[in-house]
Amino acid sequence: MRVVLLGPPGAGKGTHAVDLSKEYGIPHISTGDMLRAAVKAQTEIGIKAKGFMDKGELVPDAVVVSIIRERLAGKDCKNGFLLDGFPRNNAQAKMLDEMLAGIGAPVQAVVYLETSNATIIRRLTNRRVCKSCGATYNVLTMPPKKEGVCDLCGGALYQRTDDLESTIMNRLKVYADQTADLIDYYKKKGLLKVVNGDLDRSAAYKEFQKTLASIS
Ligand code: ADP
Ligand code: ZN
């Protein structure tokens, strides 16, 4: 199953992708996670990306596309993948189409998590992330068992530098200006499915399961 998750920051793409990845046995590929790992490891890509990320701007297409190209070539992508945070503009979507056409394995569905601004801001300002494994929590709705500590690995939780309110506003603007057009792009291709991102985790997940049931 080859699926793209689309939706504004805070829609829940990452949260649902983790569960879907387990259920369907396909990798969760998040360009945001990969870029944060590169920043942490201070690789050449990470050093280039950090400034853009801290401002809530998109990292240049060439950088992100090279990361994705390499990742999709991985053996574990043979049976499919869940893309989270990529593509994020028209140029990236076209490059993805070309890449996948080349191996005869096009995107089969695009799930758009339609989410209101109120939900987004509430989720992002309360989001905490594990320093070690990247698991995400919400101090109000999905708190860890022990404050500040990851349930899964015991790592310390932190607030992403781009989850501060001023940067969130810019990310929403970038989303509206550059990413929202992709809804139409995939609708025209007949691939778009919509899930209500305002629902809580388990209710939204049920919608996902129903939506993806028709895709092999
Ligand atoms: P969110 O969806 O919550 O905004 P992500 O973890 O997907 O967060 O992305 C964090 C940051 O990483 C983005 O604001 C951007 O700077 C960068 N990024 C992630 N994916 C892409 C992409 N496909 N193209 C360009 N920049 C990206
Ligand atoms: Zn952890």
Side-chain angles (χ1 to χ4, degrees), residues 130-135 137 150-157:
C130 173
K131 251 189 188 126
S132 308
C133 77
Y137 297 87
C150 178
D151 290 348
L152 302 178
C153 78
L157 304 187

Side-chain angles (χ1 to χ4, degrees), residues 2 4 97 106-112 183 185-194 211 215:
R2 295 176 299 276
V4 169
D97 281 349
V107 170
Q108 292 167 299
V110 176
V111 184
Y112 167 43
I183 297 165
Y185 178 89
Y186 287 117
K187 201 187 270 174
K188 283 190 184 129
K189 287 180 179 285
L191 293 175
L192 197 78
K193 324 259 176 202
V194 182
T211 302
I215 300 151

Side-chain angles (χ1 to χ4, degrees), residues 3-14:
V3 174
V4 169
L5 303 177
L6 199 61
K13 302 183 297 291

Side-chain angles (χ1 to χ4, degrees), residues 29 96 98 123 141 148 162 202 211:
I29 300 178
L96 176 66
E98 279 163 26
R123 287 199 189 136
T141 57
D162 61 349
S202 68
T211 302

Side-chain angles (χ1 to χ4, degrees), residues 7-10 13 30-33 35-36 49 52-54 56-61 64 84-89 92 124 127 160 162-163 171:
K13 302 183 297 291
S30 157
T31 40
D33 285 351
L35 289 168
R36 277 185 290 281
F52 296 99
M53 295 173 77
D54 283 345
E57 302 288 338
L58 294 188
V59 172
D61 292 342
V64 187
D84 162 12
F86 182 92
R88 240 179 168 91
N89 60 29
Q92 292 181 10
L124 293 181
R127 174 157 73 182
R160 271 170 49 177
D162 61 349
D163 276 348
R171 282 159 64 205

Side-chain angles (χ1 to χ4, degrees), residues 186-211:
Y186 287 117
K187 201 187 270 174
K188 283 190 184 129
K189 287 180 179 285
L191 293 175
L192 197 78
K193 324 259 176 202
V194 182
V195 165
N196 179 355
D198 287 331
L199 295 174
D200 69 28
R201 183 179 186 162
S202 68
Y205 192 71
K206 283 195 190 108
E207 282 201 11
F208 256 110
Q209 288 170 313
K210 252 189 257 164
T211 302

